[in-house]
Amino acid sequence: MLLKSQRAAQALPAWLHAKSVAQVRAGWVDWTNRSASVSQSVIYSCPFVPAEWVAAHGLRPCRAAPERSACLPGRGLPEGLCAFAGQWLLELRRRQGRALAAVLTTVCDQMRRLGDLAEPECDLPVFVLHVPHTWQSPTARRIYADELRRLGRFLVRLGGREPSRSELADTIRRFDDARRELLGLRGNLSPRAFAQALADFAREPLDCDLQAVSVKSTIDNRQSSIPLALLGGPIMRGDEWIYDEVDELGGRIVLDVTETGELGLPGPIDRRRLAEDPLEELVTAYLDHIPHPFRRPNTEFYVFLARELVGRGVQGVLFRRYVWCDTWHGELARLREWAEKLVPGRPIPVVDLDCGQSGGDRGRILQRVQAMIETLQQTPGA
Ligand code: SF4
């Protein structure tokens, strides 16, 4: 028997059928007001889990960002987990009985390990989605598509329903519209507000109030600020101070290439291909376009970075990684060498901000950020 919340979730929200930007915003808000009874979500943390695939199955996607303050050493966390994965385990424990299920992926060893730990530790169905590290072959695409189908069957067992081809295409199109809307707001929002808007959309896309986000205009165009990029692992709740503190120190994060920022966004949807084969287009948008450095080869990560660093006039990179995270740590030396030569005659420095488990490293991190900004302020032509 389906729970009331599950039955309610099976009706696709009205905004998915809206036609214009204004209608997308209005339909979204309208649906939000009527959907309070739908409370249980399918939670996940990885950008390679397509929210629209979960929504098309009539369930609520939620890319949950764990809270940093809850992650204290000695809270029963296994050794060797990065702070983010550790927080996620705590988040899963907290959500027992409140979430329908959790989806983990295999993008790194830490998350694989979490997949092994989660189900016995937490009274919550857990699905592990295998994301191929290679991505340029038809085999990799087929594996990812098969994994999405397997996830679909899991969602149906939870009380969801298999979408028709047109329902899937429509859901994908509406999510694509909403993401374009959000990206279009970047120039009107402060770095923190933009990061918050992306996080809110990822956490509760079906509850995200696009109208409310669009009327916020918090940008402060201080011409004297040093344009910086923030690069690295996901930002947890409670760690957003980095955006404000960089502003305070005389910098400005004009490019957010964290996993919770622009790095984690799928590519734009091709409407013609969408009509022909919506699942294939979903695979293209996620597997081919998210330039995560875990992919092999990860040349697209550098193609993406080169375009955005140069395009936004970035003068320095804040490389924020979690201790124990091999994926990002392994990229640091190469990135430094690469950034030094990217713009002839203007090396782009990369400062390493390694974050531990407890979050007690704020002072040390800010010292490094301040040193970089002061150096750039004194660099002629920077
Ligand atoms: S921060 Fe690194 S180790 Fe931790 S979950 Fe993300 S990719 Fe994996």
Side-chain angles (χ1 to χ4, degrees):
M1 181 186 290
L2 296 182
L3 299 171
K4 183 179 170 217
S5 60
Q6 290 171 324
R7 283 199 303 273
Q10 287 190 352
L12 278 176
W15 61 263
L16 289 177
H17 303 286
K19 290 195 172 59
S20 70
V21 166
Q23 282 174 311
V24 167
R25 291 178 185 169
W28 202 300
V29 172
D30 177 49
W31 184 80
T32 301
N33 293 337
R34 291 185 287 107
S35 64
S37 63
V38 184
S39 58
Q40 287 185 297
S41 308
V42 175
I43 60 170
Y44 54 93
S45 69
C46 177
F48 286 94
V49 179
E52 46 276 74
W53 185 244
V54 177
H57 283 77
L59 300 176
R60 293 177 69 85
C62 170
R63 190 170 163 207
E67 192 171 339
R68 161 72 92 169
S69 57
C71 189
L72 299 172
R75 290 196 55 180
L77 289 177
E79 286 291 313
L81 287 184
C82 75
F84 184 80
Q87 289 281 14
W88 237 81
L89 190 56
L90 297 179
E91 185 74 23
L92 290 175
R93 288 178 190 159
R94 270 199 299 273
R95 295 219 180 206
Q96 290 179 69
R98 291 194 288 130
L100 268 181
V103 180
L104 300 169
T105 66
T106 55
V107 296
C108 66
D109 290 344
Q110 316 260 350
M111 279 295 162
R112 266 177 214 275
R113 175 116 195 273
L114 205 57
D116 296 337
L117 292 169
E119 203 152 32
E121 278 225 14
C122 312
D123 187 17
L124 194 64
V126 174
F127 183 93
V128 179
L129 182 83
H130 294 270
V131 182
H133 282 227
T134 55
W135 56 281
Q136 290 171 310
S137 69
T139 307
R141 291 177 63 85
R142 185 177 48 71
I143 290 172
Y144 185 63
D146 284 349
E147 282 296 286
L148 291 184
R149 289 190 192 95
R150 194 169 67 85
L151 173 60
R153 292 193 290 276
F154 174 78
L155 297 174
V156 169
R157 286 200 297 277
L158 289 175
R161 60 173 165 69
E162 192 179 343
S164 68
R165 187 188 172 104
S166 64
E167 281 172 333
L168 177 59
D170 204 32
T171 309
I172 293 172
R173 183 164 55 84
R174 293 305 163 192
F175 269 77
D176 185 49
D177 283 346
R179 286 197 190 95
R180 286 173 201 250
E181 271 287 284
L182 281 173
L183 282 173
L185 296 172
R186 184 168 56 81
N188 298 328
L189 298 173
S190 70
R192 177 167 184 163
F194 181 59
Q196 191 64 55
L198 290 183
D200 288 348
F201 180 75
R203 192 179 64 252
E204 290 288 355
L206 303 186
D207 278 353
C208 182
D209 188 343
L210 280 178
Q211 271 180 326
V213 176
S214 68
V215 298
K216 278 186 200 161
S217 183
T218 54
I219 191 90
D220 168 16
N221 278 317
R222 278 176 295 166
Q223 297 300 318
S224 57
S225 300
I226 300 286
L228 301 171
L230 180 65
L231 211 81
I235 303 288
M236 290 191 256
R237 280 184 290 135
D239 276 347
E240 302 91 343
W241 52 262
I242 185 91
Y243 300 95
D244 296 333
E245 295 279 11
V246 168
D247 270 13
E248 286 295 313
L249 292 169
R252 184 164 207 89
I253 294 171
V254 296
L255 175 62
D256 180 356
V257 193
T258 60
E259 286 178 36
T260 38
E262 291 178 60
L263 179 79
L265 293 176
I269 296 295
D270 180 299
R271 302 302 163 105
R272 185 184 54 77
R273 290 198 307 254
L274 179 66
E276 285 167 8
D277 191 335
L279 180 57
E280 268 299 299
E281 185 55 14
L282 198 61
V283 170
T284 301
Y286 277 80
L287 191 65
D288 289 358
H289 280 279
I290 296 179
H292 198 294
F294 99 96
R295 302 191 309 172
R296 289 295 174 265
N298 66 8
T299 40
E300 285 301 308
F301 173 64
Y302 287 94
V303 170
F304 168 82
L305 266 188
R307 187 182 67 230
E308 300 302 329
L309 289 177
V310 173
R312 301 192 200 184
V314 169
Q315 293 178 13
V317 172
L318 309 175
F319 188 86
R320 187 181 177 281
R321 65 179 173 92
Y322 293 107
V323 173
W324 298 105
C325 174
D326 294 339
T327 304
W328 284 101
H329 193 195
E331 222 52 55
L332 178 58
R334 184 178 170 205
L335 180 77
R336 274 193 166 133
E337 266 183 38
W338 175 86
E340 214 172 274
K341 298 181 196 138
L342 177 64
V343 182
R346 187 171 67 79
I348 298 177
V350 176
V351 65
D352 180 20
L353 308 177
D354 52 317
C355 307
Q357 285 277 7
S358 68
D361 35 24
R362 182 169 171 164
R364 176 175 54 78
I365 285 173
L366 287 177
Q367 274 178 4
R368 291 184 191 172
V369 175
Q370 184 173 15
M372 171 188 259
I373 291 174
E374 285 176 1
T375 306
L376 286 169
Q377 283 168 337
Q378 290 157 18
T379 306

PDB file of all heavy atoms in Angstrom, residues 82 84 108 110-111 234 259 322 325 327, ligand 1:
ATOM      1  N   CYS A  82      36.443  11.177   4.278  1.00  0.00           N
ATOM      2  CA  CYS A  82      36.612  12.624   4.197  1.00  0.00           C
ATOM      3  C   CYS A  82      35.482  13.266   5.007  1.00  0.00           C
ATOM      4  O   CYS A  82      34.480  12.611   5.327  1.00  0.00           O
ATOM      5  CB  CYS A  82      36.557  13.088   2.746  1.00  0.00           C
ATOM      6  SG  CYS A  82      34.894  13.086   2.056  1.00  0.00           S
ATOM      7  N   PHE A  84      33.227  15.259   4.214  1.00  0.00           N
ATOM      8  CA  PHE A  84      31.923  15.267   3.550  1.00  0.00           C
ATOM      9  C   PHE A  84      31.243  13.898   3.655  1.00  0.00           C
ATOM     10  O   PHE A  84      30.060  13.801   3.999  1.00  0.00           O
ATOM     11  CB  PHE A  84      32.084  15.673   2.081  1.00  0.00           C
ATOM     12  CG  PHE A  84      30.775  15.789   1.369  1.00  0.00           C
ATOM     13  CD1 PHE A  84      29.994  16.918   1.520  1.00  0.00           C
ATOM     14  CD2 PHE A  84      30.303  14.760   0.566  1.00  0.00           C
ATOM     15  CE1 PHE A  84      28.762  17.026   0.887  1.00  0.00           C
ATOM     16  CE2 PHE A  84      29.076  14.858  -0.073  1.00  0.00           C
ATOM     17  CZ  PHE A  84      28.309  15.998   0.082  1.00  0.00           C
ATOM     18  N   CYS A 108      33.933   7.950  -5.988  1.00  0.00           N
ATOM     19  CA  CYS A 108      35.206   7.891  -5.257  1.00  0.00           C
ATOM     20  C   CYS A 108      35.134   6.744  -4.252  1.00  0.00           C
ATOM     21  O   CYS A 108      34.057   6.244  -3.932  1.00  0.00           O
ATOM     22  CB  CYS A 108      35.477   9.212  -4.542  1.00  0.00           C
ATOM     23  SG  CYS A 108      34.290   9.555  -3.230  1.00  0.00           S
ATOM     24  N   GLN A 110      35.578   6.774  -1.132  1.00  0.00           N
ATOM     25  CA  GLN A 110      34.887   7.129   0.113  1.00  0.00           C
ATOM     26  C   GLN A 110      33.383   6.871  -0.003  1.00  0.00           C
ATOM     27  O   GLN A 110      32.749   6.370   0.917  1.00  0.00           O
ATOM     28  CB  GLN A 110      35.109   8.613   0.403  1.00  0.00           C
ATOM     29  CG  GLN A 110      36.523   9.065   0.198  1.00  0.00           C
ATOM     30  CD  GLN A 110      37.276   9.164   1.494  1.00  0.00           C
ATOM     31  OE1 GLN A 110      36.670   9.067   2.539  1.00  0.00           O
ATOM     32  NE2 GLN A 110      38.563   9.361   1.435  1.00  0.00           N
ATOM     33  N   MET A 111      32.839   7.250  -1.153  1.00  0.00           N
ATOM     34  CA  MET A 111      31.402   7.052  -1.342  1.00  0.00           C
ATOM     35  C   MET A 111      31.071   5.567  -1.527  1.00  0.00           C
ATOM     36  O   MET A 111      30.037   5.088  -1.082  1.00  0.00           O
ATOM     37  CB  MET A 111      30.912   7.873  -2.538  1.00  0.00           C
ATOM     38  CG  MET A 111      30.668   9.320  -2.185  1.00  0.00           C
ATOM     39  SD  MET A 111      29.303   9.456  -0.988  1.00  0.00           S
ATOM     40  CE  MET A 111      29.549  11.089  -0.334  1.00  0.00           C
ATOM     41  N   PRO A 234      32.443  19.425  -2.387  1.00  0.00           N
ATOM     42  CA  PRO A 234      31.168  20.075  -2.082  1.00  0.00           C
ATOM     43  C   PRO A 234      31.238  20.967  -0.841  1.00  0.00           C
ATOM     44  O   PRO A 234      31.988  20.688   0.088  1.00  0.00           O
ATOM     45  CB  PRO A 234      30.217  18.894  -1.845  1.00  0.00           C
ATOM     46  CG  PRO A 234      31.088  17.717  -1.581  1.00  0.00           C
ATOM     47  CD  PRO A 234      32.394  17.958  -2.231  1.00  0.00           C
ATOM     48  N   GLU A 259      31.707  21.047  -6.257  1.00  0.00           N
ATOM     49  CA  GLU A 259      30.729  20.031  -6.670  1.00  0.00           C
ATOM     50  C   GLU A 259      29.298  20.493  -6.414  1.00  0.00           C
ATOM     51  O   GLU A 259      28.366  20.047  -7.069  1.00  0.00           O
ATOM     52  CB  GLU A 259      30.982  18.727  -5.916  1.00  0.00           C
ATOM     53  CG  GLU A 259      32.197  17.989  -6.421  1.00  0.00           C
ATOM     54  CD  GLU A 259      32.474  16.729  -5.631  1.00  0.00           C
ATOM     55  OE1 GLU A 259      31.520  16.053  -5.215  1.00  0.00           O
ATOM     56  OE2 GLU A 259      33.659  16.434  -5.416  1.00  0.00           O
ATOM     57  N   TYR A 322      38.923  18.354   0.879  1.00  0.00           N
ATOM     58  CA  TYR A 322      38.853  17.716   2.188  1.00  0.00           C
ATOM     59  C   TYR A 322      40.045  16.789   2.362  1.00  0.00           C
ATOM     60  O   TYR A 322      40.447  16.103   1.412  1.00  0.00           O
ATOM     61  CB  TYR A 322      37.551  16.909   2.323  1.00  0.00           C
ATOM     62  CG  TYR A 322      36.326  17.799   2.330  1.00  0.00           C
ATOM     63  CD1 TYR A 322      35.476  17.855   1.237  1.00  0.00           C
ATOM     64  CD2 TYR A 322      36.041  18.603   3.429  1.00  0.00           C
ATOM     65  CE1 TYR A 322      34.371  18.683   1.233  1.00  0.00           C
ATOM     66  CE2 TYR A 322      34.938  19.445   3.436  1.00  0.00           C
ATOM     67  CZ  TYR A 322      34.102  19.478   2.332  1.00  0.00           C
ATOM     68  OH  TYR A 322      33.018  20.312   2.333  1.00  0.00           O
ATOM     69  N   CYS A 325      40.552  13.229   0.699  1.00  0.00           N
ATOM     70  CA  CYS A 325      39.919  13.182  -0.627  1.00  0.00           C
ATOM     71  C   CYS A 325      40.999  13.074  -1.699  1.00  0.00           C
ATOM     72  O   CYS A 325      41.626  14.064  -2.075  1.00  0.00           O
ATOM     73  CB  CYS A 325      39.069  14.427  -0.881  1.00  0.00           C
ATOM     74  SG  CYS A 325      38.432  14.473  -2.577  1.00  0.00           S
ATOM     75  N   THR A 327      40.576  12.285  -4.840  1.00  0.00           N
ATOM     76  CA  THR A 327      40.130  12.787  -6.146  1.00  0.00           C
ATOM     77  C   THR A 327      40.618  14.212  -6.369  1.00  0.00           C
ATOM     78  O   THR A 327      41.212  14.530  -7.398  1.00  0.00           O
ATOM     79  CB  THR A 327      38.590  12.755  -6.226  1.00  0.00           C
ATOM     80  OG1 THR A 327      38.149  11.434  -5.955  1.00  0.00           O
ATOM     81  CG2 THR A 327      38.096  13.200  -7.592  1.00  0.00           C
TER      82      THR A 327
HETATM   83  S1  SF4 B   1      35.024  15.179  -1.168  1.00  0.00           S
HETATM   84 FE1  SF4 B   1      36.284  13.749  -2.352  1.00  0.00          FE
HETATM   85  S2  SF4 B   1      36.442  11.872  -1.123  1.00  0.00           S
HETATM   86 FE2  SF4 B   1      34.798  13.136  -0.260  1.00  0.00          FE
HETATM   87  S3  SF4 B   1      32.945  12.360  -1.215  1.00  0.00           S
HETATM   88 FE3  SF4 B   1      33.617  14.091  -2.514  1.00  0.00          FE
HETATM   89  S4  SF4 B   1      34.984  13.192  -4.086  1.00  0.00           S
HETATM   90 FE4  SF4 B   1      34.671  11.657  -2.469  1.00  0.00          FE
END
